[in-house]
């Protein structure tokens, strides 16, 4: 703004940067020497004071320039002076007050969810169709352990080996443990797409333009195609499923919540299992946040209402955690028991 808007010949950083570099407060970045701005407090008052003065002057001039431009748009002035600032005030008040929660209600709901999850795992594992394949998976884990059996006695001393004792204990534990992880997508795909059901030959999905549908993955910066196939029970198609195919790789087909209820009793139970796990995640996040004794700015027993003004181009706010928190107050589960855990703080009432 100093050079491009105000037309100054140079910014207020030139003198300060030179002092920092000359006095050894610098670092190399891509072969260039740059000042360490975090050390500017060490600069003498005649240099730091001049820097701060120019900074304040440039800010005031920019404010006057923006006010001149904004005068042409009275609706925008109204938006920021009335709507925006009111919204900012409310957001700040909400953050500091927080949402009060009943710790006991959350604990009770978490206990109920954990019991439901355990019961669903047992039901799926003992399902008439799924049980042989869960047993097959568990046996494979045991076989892998058997293949790694160490020597029982030392070849030199003839004494029992500690490694063998540990392996033996691990093996006995493995024989009584269910190793199938219903949270593992690869294991779930193996159970449903390679054992309980099968997939027909996959083909690329064709779009309106007659070409394969392609999408872009921002995280990997790669394009991939959408492929589709049918889930088969013997020779009978159950439903269609879509998957992603990256160049040089086979397509991967997921099992989403729309498909699971159509995949027999095991699929229906896994659908309910996933819902319980999702709810448990919400509950444990809120409980952890409400019991965060290290937090100093929101009352204990409450969760912060952390919102970002104009988080989307439409103008709506966006939810999101602050530093050290993953709680998002705008993405909450609608289960009645969960919602009832949010209560009025002592001395207050909730008006519906």
């Amino acid at each position: 703004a100093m050079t491009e808007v105000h037309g100054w010949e140079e910014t207020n950083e030139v003198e300060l940067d030179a002092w920092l570099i000359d006095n050894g407060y610098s670092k190399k970045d891509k072969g260039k020497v740059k000042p360490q701005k975090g050390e500017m407090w060490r600069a003498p008052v005649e240099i730091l004071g001049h820097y701060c003065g120019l900074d304040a002057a440039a800010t005031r001039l920019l404010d006057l320039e923006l006010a001149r431009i904004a005068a042409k748009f009275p609706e925008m002035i109204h938006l920021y002076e009335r709507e925006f600032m009111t919204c900012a005030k409310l957001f700040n008040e909400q953050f500091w007050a927080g949402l009060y929660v009943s710790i006991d209600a959350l604990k009770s709901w978490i206990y109920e969810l954990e019991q439901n999850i355990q019961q669903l795992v047992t039901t799926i594992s003992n399902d008439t169709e799924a049980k042989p394949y869960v047993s097959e998976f568990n046996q494979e884990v045991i076989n892998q352990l058997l293949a790694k059996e160490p020597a029982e006695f030392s070849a030199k001393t003839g004494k029992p080996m500690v490694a063998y004792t540990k392996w033996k204990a691990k093996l006995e534990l493995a024989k009584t443990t269910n190793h199938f992880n219903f949270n593992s997508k690869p294991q779930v795909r193996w159970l449903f797409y390679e054992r309980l059901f099968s997939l027909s030959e996959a083909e690329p999905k064709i779009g309106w333009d007659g070409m394969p549908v392609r999408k872009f993955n921002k995280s990997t910066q790669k394009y991939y195609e959408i492929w589709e196939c049918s889930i088969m029970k013997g020779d009978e198609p159950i439903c269609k499923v879509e998957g992603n195919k990256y160049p040089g790789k086979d397509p991967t087909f997921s099992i989403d919540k729309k498909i699971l209820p159509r995949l027999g009793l095991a699929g229906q139970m896994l659908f309910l299992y996933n819902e319980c796990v999702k709810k448990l995640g919400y509950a444990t996040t809120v409980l952890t946040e409400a019991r965060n004794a290290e937090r100093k700015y929101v009352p204990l027993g409450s969760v912060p209402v952390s919102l970002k003004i104009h988080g989307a181009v439409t103008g709506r706010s966006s939810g999101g955690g602050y530093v050290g928190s993953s709680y998002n107050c705008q993405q909450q589960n609608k289960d009645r028991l969960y919602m009832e855990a949010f209560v009025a703080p002592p001395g207050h009432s909730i008006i519906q």
Side-chain angles (χ1 to χ4, degrees), residues 215-224 246:
K215 292 187 177 182
F216 184 70
N217 187 326
K218 292 183 179 180
S219 61
T220 62
Q221 295 292 299
K222 292 181 180 180
Y223 282 96
Y224 61 92
Y246 286 89

PDB file of all heavy atoms in Angstrom, residues 215-224 246:
ATOM      1  N   LYS A 215     -12.330 -36.367 -12.561  1.00  0.00           N
ATOM      2  CA  LYS A 215     -12.343 -35.409 -11.472  1.00  0.00           C
ATOM      3  C   LYS A 215     -10.916 -35.129 -11.031  1.00  0.00           C
ATOM      4  O   LYS A 215      -9.989 -35.865 -11.394  1.00  0.00           O
ATOM      5  CB  LYS A 215     -13.182 -35.924 -10.294  1.00  0.00           C
ATOM      6  CG  LYS A 215     -14.671 -36.015 -10.616  1.00  0.00           C
ATOM      7  CD  LYS A 215     -15.480 -36.376  -9.370  1.00  0.00           C
ATOM      8  CE  LYS A 215     -16.967 -36.399  -9.681  1.00  0.00           C
ATOM      9  NZ  LYS A 215     -17.785 -36.706  -8.475  1.00  0.00           N
ATOM     10  N   PHE A 216     -10.772 -34.062 -10.242  1.00  0.00           N
ATOM     11  CA  PHE A 216      -9.442 -33.644  -9.802  1.00  0.00           C
ATOM     12  C   PHE A 216      -9.349 -33.721  -8.294  1.00  0.00           C
ATOM     13  O   PHE A 216     -10.212 -33.222  -7.572  1.00  0.00           O
ATOM     14  CB  PHE A 216      -9.155 -32.221 -10.262  1.00  0.00           C
ATOM     15  CG  PHE A 216      -7.761 -31.735  -9.945  1.00  0.00           C
ATOM     16  CD1 PHE A 216      -6.664 -32.256 -10.611  1.00  0.00           C
ATOM     17  CD2 PHE A 216      -7.559 -30.774  -8.965  1.00  0.00           C
ATOM     18  CE1 PHE A 216      -5.381 -31.819 -10.320  1.00  0.00           C
ATOM     19  CE2 PHE A 216      -6.283 -30.328  -8.668  1.00  0.00           C
ATOM     20  CZ  PHE A 216      -5.197 -30.852  -9.357  1.00  0.00           C
ATOM     21  N   ASN A 217      -8.314 -34.400  -7.801  1.00  0.00           N
ATOM     22  CA  ASN A 217      -8.062 -34.516  -6.368  1.00  0.00           C
ATOM     23  C   ASN A 217      -7.102 -33.399  -5.951  1.00  0.00           C
ATOM     24  O   ASN A 217      -5.933 -33.397  -6.327  1.00  0.00           O
ATOM     25  CB  ASN A 217      -7.461 -35.895  -6.048  1.00  0.00           C
ATOM     26  CG  ASN A 217      -7.341 -36.144  -4.558  1.00  0.00           C
ATOM     27  OD1 ASN A 217      -7.094 -35.230  -3.782  1.00  0.00           O
ATOM     28  ND2 ASN A 217      -7.523 -37.396  -4.167  1.00  0.00           N
ATOM     29  N   LYS A 218      -7.601 -32.443  -5.164  1.00  0.00           N
ATOM     30  CA  LYS A 218      -6.778 -31.295  -4.781  1.00  0.00           C
ATOM     31  C   LYS A 218      -5.608 -31.699  -3.887  1.00  0.00           C
ATOM     32  O   LYS A 218      -4.531 -31.103  -3.973  1.00  0.00           O
ATOM     33  CB  LYS A 218      -7.635 -30.253  -4.064  1.00  0.00           C
ATOM     34  CG  LYS A 218      -8.656 -29.581  -4.970  1.00  0.00           C
ATOM     35  CD  LYS A 218      -9.430 -28.512  -4.201  1.00  0.00           C
ATOM     36  CE  LYS A 218     -10.428 -27.814  -5.111  1.00  0.00           C
ATOM     37  NZ  LYS A 218     -11.202 -26.775  -4.386  1.00  0.00           N
ATOM     38  N   SER A 219      -5.823 -32.679  -3.027  1.00  0.00           N
ATOM     39  CA  SER A 219      -4.761 -33.064  -2.092  1.00  0.00           C
ATOM     40  C   SER A 219      -3.600 -33.751  -2.804  1.00  0.00           C
ATOM     41  O   SER A 219      -2.435 -33.552  -2.454  1.00  0.00           O
ATOM     42  CB  SER A 219      -5.318 -33.978  -1.000  1.00  0.00           C
ATOM     43  OG  SER A 219      -5.849 -35.160  -1.562  1.00  0.00           O
ATOM     44  N   THR A 220      -3.905 -34.597  -3.796  1.00  0.00           N
ATOM     45  CA  THR A 220      -2.838 -35.294  -4.521  1.00  0.00           C
ATOM     46  C   THR A 220      -2.438 -34.585  -5.804  1.00  0.00           C
ATOM     47  O   THR A 220      -1.439 -34.936  -6.423  1.00  0.00           O
ATOM     48  CB  THR A 220      -3.279 -36.730  -4.875  1.00  0.00           C
ATOM     49  OG1 THR A 220      -4.422 -36.682  -5.749  1.00  0.00           O
ATOM     50  CG2 THR A 220      -3.643 -37.503  -3.624  1.00  0.00           C
ATOM     51  N   GLN A 221      -3.253 -33.573  -6.201  1.00  0.00           N
ATOM     52  CA  GLN A 221      -2.995 -32.833  -7.437  1.00  0.00           C
ATOM     53  C   GLN A 221      -2.994 -33.764  -8.659  1.00  0.00           C
ATOM     54  O   GLN A 221      -2.197 -33.595  -9.580  1.00  0.00           O
ATOM     55  CB  GLN A 221      -1.673 -32.065  -7.344  1.00  0.00           C
ATOM     56  CG  GLN A 221      -1.670 -30.961  -6.299  1.00  0.00           C
ATOM     57  CD  GLN A 221      -2.599 -29.807  -6.661  1.00  0.00           C
ATOM     58  OE1 GLN A 221      -2.434 -29.157  -7.681  1.00  0.00           O
ATOM     59  NE2 GLN A 221      -3.593 -29.570  -5.818  1.00  0.00           N
ATOM     60  N   LYS A 222      -3.909 -34.739  -8.644  1.00  0.00           N
ATOM     61  CA  LYS A 222      -3.988 -35.685  -9.752  1.00  0.00           C
ATOM     62  C   LYS A 222      -5.425 -35.850 -10.223  1.00  0.00           C
ATOM     63  O   LYS A 222      -6.370 -35.746  -9.435  1.00  0.00           O
ATOM     64  CB  LYS A 222      -3.429 -37.053  -9.333  1.00  0.00           C
ATOM     65  CG  LYS A 222      -1.931 -37.065  -9.068  1.00  0.00           C
ATOM     66  CD  LYS A 222      -1.477 -38.470  -8.679  1.00  0.00           C
ATOM     67  CE  LYS A 222       0.024 -38.514  -8.414  1.00  0.00           C
ATOM     68  NZ  LYS A 222       0.476 -39.879  -8.025  1.00  0.00           N
ATOM     69  N   TYR A 223      -5.567 -36.111 -11.519  1.00  0.00           N
ATOM     70  CA  TYR A 223      -6.882 -36.418 -12.079  1.00  0.00           C
ATOM     71  C   TYR A 223      -7.155 -37.915 -11.952  1.00  0.00           C
ATOM     72  O   TYR A 223      -6.232 -38.731 -11.965  1.00  0.00           O
ATOM     73  CB  TYR A 223      -6.944 -36.021 -13.554  1.00  0.00           C
ATOM     74  CG  TYR A 223      -7.143 -34.539 -13.785  1.00  0.00           C
ATOM     75  CD1 TYR A 223      -6.062 -33.698 -14.022  1.00  0.00           C
ATOM     76  CD2 TYR A 223      -8.423 -33.988 -13.756  1.00  0.00           C
ATOM     77  CE1 TYR A 223      -6.244 -32.329 -14.227  1.00  0.00           C
ATOM     78  CE2 TYR A 223      -8.616 -32.628 -13.963  1.00  0.00           C
ATOM     79  CZ  TYR A 223      -7.530 -31.812 -14.199  1.00  0.00           C
ATOM     80  OH  TYR A 223      -7.717 -30.467 -14.397  1.00  0.00           O
ATOM     81  N   TYR A 224      -8.424 -38.249 -11.821  1.00  0.00           N
ATOM     82  CA  TYR A 224      -8.817 -39.660 -11.789  1.00  0.00           C
ATOM     83  C   TYR A 224     -10.150 -39.815 -12.509  1.00  0.00           C
ATOM     84  O   TYR A 224     -10.918 -38.850 -12.658  1.00  0.00           O
ATOM     85  CB  TYR A 224      -8.913 -40.173 -10.351  1.00  0.00           C
ATOM     86  CG  TYR A 224      -9.935 -39.460  -9.500  1.00  0.00           C
ATOM     87  CD1 TYR A 224     -11.255 -39.934  -9.403  1.00  0.00           C
ATOM     88  CD2 TYR A 224      -9.600 -38.318  -8.766  1.00  0.00           C
ATOM     89  CE1 TYR A 224     -12.200 -39.284  -8.628  1.00  0.00           C
ATOM     90  CE2 TYR A 224     -10.536 -37.664  -7.991  1.00  0.00           C
ATOM     91  CZ  TYR A 224     -11.834 -38.159  -7.920  1.00  0.00           C
ATOM     92  OH  TYR A 224     -12.759 -37.499  -7.144  1.00  0.00           O
ATOM     93  N   TYR A 246      -7.136 -44.156 -10.749  1.00  0.00           N
ATOM     94  CA  TYR A 246      -6.016 -43.292 -11.065  1.00  0.00           C
ATOM     95  C   TYR A 246      -5.194 -43.940 -12.183  1.00  0.00           C
ATOM     96  O   TYR A 246      -5.198 -45.171 -12.330  1.00  0.00           O
ATOM     97  CB  TYR A 246      -5.148 -43.064  -9.835  1.00  0.00           C
ATOM     98  CG  TYR A 246      -5.784 -42.126  -8.832  1.00  0.00           C
ATOM     99  CD1 TYR A 246      -6.622 -42.606  -7.831  1.00  0.00           C
ATOM    100  CD2 TYR A 246      -5.554 -40.763  -8.896  1.00  0.00           C
ATOM    101  CE1 TYR A 246      -7.217 -41.753  -6.916  1.00  0.00           C
ATOM    102  CE2 TYR A 246      -6.128 -39.893  -7.985  1.00  0.00           C
ATOM    103  CZ  TYR A 246      -6.967 -40.389  -7.000  1.00  0.00           C
ATOM    104  OH  TYR A 246      -7.547 -39.531  -6.104  1.00  0.00           O
TER     105      TYR A 246
END
